[in-house]
């Protein structure tokens, strides 16, 4: 089961998620789309890691999403 949370940063929508791993750990997921045309969703590869809660995994995805927008968006 995956928990997600949506954020907006500058001209981008960030869909940050936490995917369940084994042993009660969570991996972050990130999808980014621009708010203007062309609006296509991109899955962003994140630094590997497992986190103890969905909250920390989503925060890690958000941090890396903001970094992506600032450097590549």
């Amino acid at each position: 089961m995956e928990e997600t949370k949506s954020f907006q940063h500058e001209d981008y929508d960030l869909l940050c998620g936490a995917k369940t791993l084994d042993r009660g750990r969570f991996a972050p997921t990130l999808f980014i789309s621009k708010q203007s045309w062309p609006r296509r969703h991109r899955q962003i590869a994140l630094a590997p890691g497992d986190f103890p809660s969905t909250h920390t995994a989503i925060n890690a995805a958000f941090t890396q999403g903001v970094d992506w927008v600032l450097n590549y968006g």
Side-chain angles (χ1 to χ4, degrees), residues 8-56:
Q8 290 183 342
H9 183 72
E10 293 184 4
D11 193 27
Y12 290 87
D13 290 325
L14 306 158
L15 182 61
C16 304
K19 183 171 64 173
T20 304
L21 300 174
D22 58 348
R23 304 176 331 273
R25 306 291 284 184
F26 300 89
T29 60
L30 176 62
F31 289 89
I32 293 181
S33 63
K34 198 165 188 172
Q35 293 174 353
S36 58
W37 190 86
R39 187 174 172 86
R40 76 174 202 257
H41 303 290
R42 296 177 154 186
Q43 182 173 9
I44 305 300
L46 300 176
D50 60 339
F51 297 88
S53 70
T54 58
H55 179 72
T56 55

Side-chain angles (χ1 to χ4, degrees), residues 50-70:
D50 60 339
F51 297 88
S53 70
T54 58
H55 179 72
T56 55
I58 289 172
N59 282 345
F62 175 74
T63 301
Q64 291 182 51
V66 169
D67 184 55
W68 186 92
V69 168
L70 293 175

